[in-house]
Amino acid sequence: MKTKLVRYEIDLANPPPLTDGQKAELEALAAMPDEAIDYSDIPPLTEAFWENAVPNRFYRPTKTATTVRIDSDVLAWLRSQGRGYQTRINAILRREMLAALKNR
């Protein structure tokens, strides 16, 4: 049996208008006091949870172009390891930043 694959694209900048039912549901939710929200199916976030948490694997920090003065011998050493010396500089700085944040 063959099935036909159908793809839909949604324009996130211009979503389709809400139906009257969707508008009514949103208004009812907005009017609901916080005390009426049932959180019983959400487990509490304990310290153990945060100890085992990992960063989002899809996160990519933005890059900023800057000028940095580096000792010539340090730059020569980084470049001697092949392509990607700027990426290595960033990795070294990130490792030090994370270690400093961890030791606060």
Side-chain angles (χ1 to χ4, degrees):
M1 174 179 179
K2 286 190 172 186
T3 59
K4 183 177 180 180
L5 180 64
V6 179
R7 294 180 190 257
Y8 295 97
E9 289 189 25
I10 298 174
D11 181 7
L12 296 178
N14 298 306
L18 297 175
T19 65
D20 290 338
Q22 290 170 327
K23 289 178 185 176
E25 184 177 0
L26 286 174
E27 289 171 5
L29 289 171
M32 181 184 295
D34 289 347
E35 298 79 32
I37 299 172
D38 179 16
Y39 295 105
S40 64
D41 61 339
I42 303 173
L45 298 179
T46 62
E47 287 299 319
F49 170 84
W50 293 112
E51 288 172 6
N52 297 320
V54 294
N56 183 340
R57 63 184 173 151
F58 300 110
Y59 171 72
R60 286 185 63 186
T62 60
K63 302 288 185 184
T64 302
T66 186
T67 301
V68 179
R69 299 181 64 80
I70 300 175
D71 294 340
S72 297
D73 58 336
V74 173
L75 184 58
W77 172 74
L78 287 162
R79 286 183 169 167
S80 71
Q81 297 177 36
R83 291 176 45 106
Y85 75 95
Q86 291 175 325
T87 302
R88 280 191 293 283
I89 291 171
N90 192 68
I92 291 166
L93 292 172
R94 179 168 295 284
R95 184 176 59 234
E96 291 301 312
M97 176 192 74
L98 293 174
L101 291 172
K102 194 173 190 177
N103 292 330
R104 276 188 180 181

